[in-house]
Amino acid sequence: MPIPSKEEMYRALEERHGAELQKKLDIASVAVCGLGGLGSNIAIALARAGVGKLNIIDFDSVDISNLNRQQYFPDQLGKPKSDAMRDTLERIAPYCSITSYNVKLTEENIPVLLKDADIIVEAFDRADQKAMLVNCVLENLPEKYLVSGSGMAGIAPSNIITTKRITKRFYLCGDGVSDVENGMGLVSSRVLICAGHQAHAVIRIIAGEFDI
């Protein structure tokens, strides 16, 4: 069966979201930095919502240890995550403009690779890399909105994962406490909850809803 036309898919989204919001989503540009448990789920949620431009970035490859919580398939093992996620997103949202980079983000390349995004999503695993990206964006791209994640490990209650507005343009999602090093690690359901918080924060920013 042929895939629906761009107009048909847009109309279906417009019926769900309303014309005003869907137009805002369609012209929005979002960068997802890190395509692991958080980033892969966030990217899929944004693509399904009809975000018009996605910039996805990761330097890692798909490993069997990723399959319990990340949106990859066994036949993608060994493939760069940026390529595997681009392929998946193109199946979900064939008319979304997707730019993928198989590169490690650094203080030097962040201002270049993220400069065209309206909203930047931090979805790294390591605390030091999270801090590096957040600090670099706040210092070099202060006009951007930034949505970050912190604390989603273990099987603690889902309701302690929240979204907080830290500054005018910086949002933090998670429980802010749990650490993969101090417990059972990352469980798919809880990672997905935090990813949902981040994706929804992005959608609300696009909609012009800036409160938490």
Side-chain angles (χ1 to χ4, degrees), residues 63-164:
D63 183 80
I64 193 169
S65 64
N66 303 146
L67 299 182
N68 81 311
R69 67 193 184 282
Q70 301 182 18
Q71 293 298 326
Y72 301 105
F73 302 94
D75 62 3
Q76 293 176 318
L77 291 174
K79 192 170 186 177
K81 288 183 178 180
S82 56
D83 293 342
M85 184 49 51
R86 183 192 63 229
D87 292 346
T88 299
L89 295 176
E90 287 176 346
R91 292 188 65 191
I92 291 170
Y95 306 108
C96 178
S97 176
I98 301 166
T99 304
S100 63
Y101 291 99
N102 181 26
V103 65
K104 185 173 183 178
L105 285 170
T106 66
E107 293 178 358
E108 290 71 34
N109 64 21
I110 284 172
V112 177
L113 293 177
L114 306 185
K115 63 181 176 63
D116 293 328
D118 303 316
I119 304 169
I120 297 167
V121 179
E122 177 279 308
F124 289 157
D125 292 329
R126 290 171 41 185
D128 61 330
Q129 293 297 305
K130 288 176 175 290
M132 181 276 296
L133 176 61
V134 168
N135 290 335
C136 191
V137 170
L138 293 178
E139 291 175 6
N140 296 282
L141 301 167
E143 75 283 4
K144 307 294 185 184
Y145 285 95
L146 174 63
V147 179
S148 183
S150 177
M152 74 289 306
I155 58 170
S158 60
N159 286 343
I160 65 174
I161 293 178
T162 61
T163 300
K164 298 179 180 179

Side-chain angles (χ1 to χ4, degrees), residues 41-43 45-46 121 147 173 194-204:
N41 281 293
I42 293 165
L46 296 178
V121 179
V147 179
C173 305
C194 188
H197 271 262
Q198 289 189 256
H200 195 60
V202 170
I203 291 171
R204 283 181 57 76

